[in-house]
């Protein structure tokens, strides 16, 4: 049975870490703040600029703990991945598929199908509980997603697939603001924007997507796949294309719903985000701590996995899907099965 370990988040910019007797030791201004046994950690996320000692790299590598560096705003800067549990044959086949467009699109179609299904789940689920907040535009968006699902699995070229995916995303985000029920004056949403996010909702989404991206990359690398060679997202230096591919099916249910709950349950407020002179909107330090606390708590909640036919912790979903992807590449499964939620499921 796979065990969900802990993610260590280092938010204080003055934190510095080193290793001692199989422990990660956190220091601040030379004083020891905490010691964490390496065996209970699966990944370390550093949002600080002070850095780590080389013995931390060695300890993480030996114990297959992913060490990731992000800017204080959550932008990915780089990471160290421990020794791979996979083998060269798995990666060689992954590369062959990525270079063979007719084979690659079979994976891409299913991942995008999963994304649109889960976008529709978010809208259907909200509609079933909050019909009074939904208008004709909301129902039209659901119709558009339903139409997209009928098209996506028949597509044979990437240009058409990207077109359908883009149309579905525009329909989905066109009614995202309907699902924000509290403090709409400060948490209004008029469309997706990023690099940098220009409003509070987009700042929260971007921060959540950055955390999800790190989790998916760790999951893929842990079973021996190359997170930088994808089937849908094109190759680009520094871009973890396969992680971005697999993220698609998780975005609506793991990040979007989480952000909506944060706002609607008033767990995040106007004061938690700051607007820079450049117009960029960022979470302040207290908001980051609260966000990560709630994010970590949610990872331990259970959800039913329809393909595995059992309940599993949310934090394990990327690892389960990475295993399913590996099994498909090895021809143990005919087609990659994306993770899909259904209303009532």
């Amino acid at each position: 049975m796979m065990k969900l370990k802990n993610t260590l988040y280092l938010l204080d910019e003055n934190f510095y870490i080193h290793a001692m007797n199989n422990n990660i030791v956190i220091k601040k201004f030379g004083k020891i703040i905490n010691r964490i046994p390496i065996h209970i950690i699966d990944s370390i996320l550093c949002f600080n600029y002070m850095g780590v000692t080389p013995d931390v790299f060695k300890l993480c590598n030996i114990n297959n703990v992913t060490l990731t560096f992000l800017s204080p705003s959550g932008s990915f800067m780089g990471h160290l991945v421990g020794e791979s549990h996979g083998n060269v044959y798995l990666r060689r086949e992954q590369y062959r598929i990525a270079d063979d467009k007719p084979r690659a699109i079979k994976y891409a179609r299913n991942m995008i199908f999963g994304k649109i299904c889960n976008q529709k789940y978010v809208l259907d689920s909200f509609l079933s509980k909050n019909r009074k907040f939904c208008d004709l535009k909301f129902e039209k968006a659901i119709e558009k997603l339903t139409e997209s699902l009928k098209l996506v699995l028949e597509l044979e070229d990437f240009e058409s697939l990207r077109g359908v995916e883009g149309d579905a995303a525009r329909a989905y985000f066109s009614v995202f603001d309907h699902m924000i029920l509290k403090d709409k004056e400060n948490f209004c949403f008029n469309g997706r924007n990023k690099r940098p996010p220009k409003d509070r909702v987009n700042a929260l989404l971007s921060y959540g997507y950055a955390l999800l991206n790190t989790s998916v990359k760790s999951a893929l690398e842990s079973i021996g796949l190359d997170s930088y060679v994808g089937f849908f997202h094109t190759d680009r230096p520094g871009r973890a294309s396969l992680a971005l591919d697999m993220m698609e099916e998780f975005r609506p249910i793991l990040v979007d719903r989480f952000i909506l709950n944060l706002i609607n349950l008033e767990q995040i407020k106007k004061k938690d985000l700051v607007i820079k002179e450049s117009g960029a909107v960022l979470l302040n330090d207290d908001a980051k701590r609260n966000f990560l606390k709630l994010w970590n708590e949610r990872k331990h909640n259970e959800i039913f996995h329809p393909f595995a036919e059992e309940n599993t912790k949310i934090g394990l979903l990327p690892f389960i899907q990475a295993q399913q992807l590996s099994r498909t590449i090895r021809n143990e499964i005919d087609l990659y099965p994306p993770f899909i939620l259904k209303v009532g499921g």
Side-chain angles (χ1 to χ4, degrees), residues 166-184:
D167 289 343
R170 280 186 288 275
Y172 172 72
F173 280 118
S174 74
V175 295
F176 198 79
D177 190 64
H178 287 61
M179 297 184 285
I180 297 173
L181 305 179
K182 295 292 181 69
D183 197 5
K184 291 180 75 73

Side-chain angles (χ1 to χ4, degrees), residues 20 28 75 88 115 121 190 210 217-218:
M20 182 186 297
K28 182 175 181 179
S75 298
V88 66
K115 176 184 182 178
Y121 168 85
N190 295 311
K217 275 191 289 193
S218 297

Side-chain angles (χ1 to χ4, degrees), residues 287-322:
K288 290 176 187 175
R289 293 187 185 93
N290 184 45
F291 190 110
L292 293 172
K293 173 180 174 291
L294 295 169
W295 178 265
N296 246 11
E297 288 175 356
R298 187 165 182 265
K299 285 168 65 176
H300 288 270
N301 293 340
E302 290 196 342
I303 194 169
F304 182 74
H305 194 293
F307 190 82
E309 296 185 335
E310 63 181 12
N311 288 330
T312 186
K313 290 186 176 180
I314 287 175
L316 290 177
L317 290 177
F319 293 90
I320 293 173
Q321 290 306 115

Side-chain angles (χ1 to χ4, degrees), residues 14 27 30-31 45-47 64-66 86 134 141-142 148-149 156 177 183 201 212 237 256 263 303 308 313:
N14 295 305
K27 287 186 174 181
K31 181 181 178 180
L45 272 65
C46 298
F47 292 83
N64 198 37
V65 172
T66 302
C134 304
I142 294 176
S148 297
L149 288 173
E156 298 291 343
D177 190 64
D183 197 5
V201 179
L212 176 60
D256 300 353
I263 298 170
I303 194 169
K313 290 186 176 180

